[in-house]
Amino acid sequence: MALPGERGVQIHGSTVVYRLVDGGLPAGIVGQAVPNGPRRCLVKVLRPYQNNVMLVAHELGHCMDFQRLGPPTDIREGDGCVYGPYFCGRMEGYAQTYARVYVRKCGPSLADLGVWWATDEGTGCVPPRAEEVTRADLPDN
Ligand SMILES: [Zn+2]
């Protein structure tokens, strides 16, 4: 749930709440996306990583993946290994590819992700829809 004073942003029909945290994430994890209701998603980012656009975009990718309306992604188990062992699972491979597509499309903007702590102005670029991110967007392709 959103904390008092937290406002969600609407992204492709989902309400996304971004939250900076000082801990409370699983060991070694610096960001986390948690579905918390129908088409609602909470993104937690460990404060020292707040300006890491790839990380925040990765977490938004999980939110879009959780709440996609279209068919499942064609990104498969193992595809994300190109990014490193952490990303081998289907969901992690998808989220990292989402982040890659986001930066390619929108550049390194936190504002365009709807992040309230962004210091850039953004360009009004709209983050990708879940179905815009496919195997063709993996680095090998
Ligand atoms: Zn992830």
Side-chain angles (χ1 to χ4, degrees):
M1 298 304 288
L3 296 172
E6 272 185 340
R7 280 216 317 268
V9 291
Q10 298 298 316
I11 303 177
H12 300 310
S14 290
T15 302
V16 178
V17 172
Y18 290 106
R19 181 181 298 168
L20 283 177
V21 298
D22 295 303
L25 299 178
I29 299 294
V30 297
Q32 190 177 44
V34 184
N36 63 346
R39 301 185 69 70
R40 294 188 64 87
C41 193
L42 174 62
V43 170
K44 298 179 187 177
V45 176
L46 203 59
R47 198 176 300 273
Y49 295 86
Q50 69 184 72
N51 292 320
N52 187 325
V53 173
M54 282 295 287
L55 168 67
V56 180
H58 173 106
E59 301 307 337
L60 179 63
H62 281 308
C63 292
M64 295 292 105
D65 197 18
F66 294 147
Q67 303 182 2
R68 70 171 58 239
L69 297 175
T73 178
D74 62 353
I75 292 173
R76 297 190 290 252
E77 192 80 13
D79 285 348
C81 294
V82 291
Y83 303 115
Y86 180 79
F87 303 100
C88 284
R90 190 206 64 79
M91 292 184 75
E92 295 307 328
Y94 175 85
Q96 195 64 8
T97 306
Y98 183 96
R100 178 181 163 82
V101 172
Y102 171 76
V103 170
R104 189 174 70 204
K105 180 181 181 188
C106 295
S109 169
L110 282 174
D112 288 336
L113 290 168
V115 170
W116 57 266
W117 62 81
T119 54
D120 67 287
E121 306 250 321
T123 63
C125 182
V126 177
R129 292 181 173 277
E131 60 271 22
E132 283 179 59
V133 177
T134 69
R135 289 197 93 213
D137 299 306
L138 285 157
D140 285 355
N141 294 309

PDB file of all heavy atoms in Angstrom, residues 58-59 62 86 92 95, ligand 1:
ATOM      1  N   HIS A  58      14.215  -1.241 -14.776  1.00  0.00           N
ATOM      2  CA  HIS A  58      14.094  -2.699 -14.596  1.00  0.00           C
ATOM      3  C   HIS A  58      12.902  -3.012 -13.684  1.00  0.00           C
ATOM      4  O   HIS A  58      12.089  -3.886 -13.988  1.00  0.00           O
ATOM      5  CB  HIS A  58      15.405  -3.229 -14.011  1.00  0.00           C
ATOM      6  CG  HIS A  58      15.404  -4.667 -13.599  1.00  0.00           C
ATOM      7  ND1 HIS A  58      16.056  -5.648 -14.321  1.00  0.00           N
ATOM      8  CD2 HIS A  58      14.846  -5.298 -12.538  1.00  0.00           C
ATOM      9  CE1 HIS A  58      15.890  -6.817 -13.714  1.00  0.00           C
ATOM     10  NE2 HIS A  58      15.160  -6.631 -12.624  1.00  0.00           N
ATOM     11  N   GLU A  59      12.794  -2.271 -12.585  1.00  0.00           N
ATOM     12  CA  GLU A  59      11.689  -2.534 -11.655  1.00  0.00           C
ATOM     13  C   GLU A  59      10.348  -2.184 -12.296  1.00  0.00           C
ATOM     14  O   GLU A  59       9.355  -2.908 -12.121  1.00  0.00           O
ATOM     15  CB  GLU A  59      11.885  -1.766 -10.347  1.00  0.00           C
ATOM     16  CG  GLU A  59      13.190  -2.089  -9.607  1.00  0.00           C
ATOM     17  CD  GLU A  59      13.432  -3.567  -9.345  1.00  0.00           C
ATOM     18  OE1 GLU A  59      12.476  -4.361  -9.324  1.00  0.00           O
ATOM     19  OE2 GLU A  59      14.611  -3.946  -9.176  1.00  0.00           O
ATOM     20  N   HIS A  62       9.236  -5.018 -14.329  1.00  0.00           N
ATOM     21  CA  HIS A  62       8.522  -6.063 -13.576  1.00  0.00           C
ATOM     22  C   HIS A  62       7.047  -5.681 -13.416  1.00  0.00           C
ATOM     23  O   HIS A  62       6.160  -6.523 -13.578  1.00  0.00           O
ATOM     24  CB  HIS A  62       9.141  -6.254 -12.191  1.00  0.00           C
ATOM     25  CG  HIS A  62      10.398  -7.062 -12.171  1.00  0.00           C
ATOM     26  ND1 HIS A  62      10.512  -8.306 -12.759  1.00  0.00           N
ATOM     27  CD2 HIS A  62      11.613  -6.812 -11.621  1.00  0.00           C
ATOM     28  CE1 HIS A  62      11.738  -8.778 -12.564  1.00  0.00           C
ATOM     29  NE2 HIS A  62      12.432  -7.884 -11.878  1.00  0.00           N
ATOM     30  N   TYR A  86      22.421 -13.253 -12.697  1.00  0.00           N
ATOM     31  CA  TYR A  86      21.219 -12.833 -11.960  1.00  0.00           C
ATOM     32  C   TYR A  86      19.998 -12.755 -12.875  1.00  0.00           C
ATOM     33  O   TYR A  86      18.865 -12.916 -12.436  1.00  0.00           O
ATOM     34  CB  TYR A  86      21.459 -11.471 -11.291  1.00  0.00           C
ATOM     35  CG  TYR A  86      20.266 -10.967 -10.518  1.00  0.00           C
ATOM     36  CD1 TYR A  86      19.982 -11.452  -9.241  1.00  0.00           C
ATOM     37  CD2 TYR A  86      19.395 -10.032 -11.079  1.00  0.00           C
ATOM     38  CE1 TYR A  86      18.875 -11.016  -8.542  1.00  0.00           C
ATOM     39  CE2 TYR A  86      18.279  -9.583 -10.385  1.00  0.00           C
ATOM     40  CZ  TYR A  86      18.031 -10.075  -9.117  1.00  0.00           C
ATOM     41  OH  TYR A  86      16.931  -9.640  -8.427  1.00  0.00           O
ATOM     42  N   GLU A  92      13.525 -11.956 -14.751  1.00  0.00           N
ATOM     43  CA  GLU A  92      14.657 -11.014 -14.657  1.00  0.00           C
ATOM     44  C   GLU A  92      15.177 -10.657 -16.052  1.00  0.00           C
ATOM     45  O   GLU A  92      15.557  -9.506 -16.298  1.00  0.00           O
ATOM     46  CB  GLU A  92      15.774 -11.591 -13.793  1.00  0.00           C
ATOM     47  CG  GLU A  92      15.393 -11.791 -12.325  1.00  0.00           C
ATOM     48  CD  GLU A  92      14.821 -10.538 -11.668  1.00  0.00           C
ATOM     49  OE1 GLU A  92      15.222  -9.418 -12.046  1.00  0.00           O
ATOM     50  OE2 GLU A  92      13.944 -10.674 -10.797  1.00  0.00           O
ATOM     51  N   ALA A  95      12.709  -8.131 -17.434  1.00  0.00           N
ATOM     52  CA  ALA A  95      12.798  -6.803 -16.812  1.00  0.00           C
ATOM     53  C   ALA A  95      14.047  -6.060 -17.279  1.00  0.00           C
ATOM     54  O   ALA A  95      14.007  -4.853 -17.519  1.00  0.00           O
ATOM     55  CB  ALA A  95      12.780  -6.934 -15.290  1.00  0.00           C
TER      56      ALA A  95
HETATM   57 ZN    ZN B   1      14.362  -7.890 -11.265  1.00  0.00          ZN
END
